[in-house]
Amino acid sequence: MAKADRLERLDVRRTELETEYMAALIDALRVTAAGKWGLFDHNADRWSRKAVAPVIENLAEIGQATDQMREQLGMPPFALQQEFLASRGPVKSDAVGEPKQAQAWLDRLDSR
């Protein structure tokens, strides 16, 4: 019974962290959609990277903790974090800008 209680508490904490991750990501996406570049690291500009570093570090910290909990619970990695990480980095020159990409993310998350 103690193990079941511990796993239940772990799952509750995992859910809380995933909610926290979603809220932090939405806040960052709103800032980016308003015109501030750097969240997706498309330009590899060091000033943009430095400005957005605390946001990225916070998301990474929450995401890593969530993934560790998911692993303990026998669950797959946190899909939202995996999608976000995959969307970062250099893109082709004809790709949409970060503000438009952020708005598309917001629209998609809003429809969930």
Side-chain angles (χ1 to χ4, degrees), residues 25-110:
L25 180 59
I26 287 173
D27 287 346
L29 290 169
R30 286 184 179 142
V31 169
T32 303
K36 185 174 181 182
W37 286 62
L39 183 64
F40 293 103
D41 198 27
H42 289 336
N43 292 337
D45 172 58
R46 73 178 165 141
W47 298 110
S48 296
R49 278 184 181 159
K50 186 176 180 178
V52 78
V55 173
I56 298 300
E57 289 170 9
N58 181 49
L59 289 170
E61 184 178 305
I62 296 169
Q64 288 170 357
T66 301
D67 279 343
Q68 288 174 349
M69 290 178 188
R70 285 177 152 270
E71 185 176 329
Q72 288 178 315
L73 293 166
M75 299 173 76
F78 185 33
L80 182 59
Q81 179 191 15
Q82 300 306 313
E83 292 171 32
F84 175 66
L85 292 175
S87 70
R88 298 192 77 237
V91 293
K92 296 180 183 177
S93 61
D94 62 344
V96 298
E98 287 192 25
K100 286 185 180 180
Q101 184 178 5
Q103 187 58 56
W105 268 75
L106 287 168
D107 293 344
R108 185 172 56 95
L109 292 174
D110 191 39

Side-chain angles (χ1 to χ4, degrees), residues 2-40:
K3 183 176 181 179
D5 289 340
R6 184 180 58 80
L7 291 176
E8 183 178 343
R9 284 192 309 272
L10 185 64
D11 194 38
V12 167
R13 181 65 183 136
R14 176 199 56 83
T15 302
E16 291 169 350
L17 280 177
E18 288 179 4
T19 301
E20 185 179 332
Y21 186 96
M22 174 78 88
L25 180 59
I26 287 173
D27 287 346
L29 290 169
R30 286 184 179 142
V31 169
T32 303
K36 185 174 181 182
W37 286 62
L39 183 64
F40 293 103

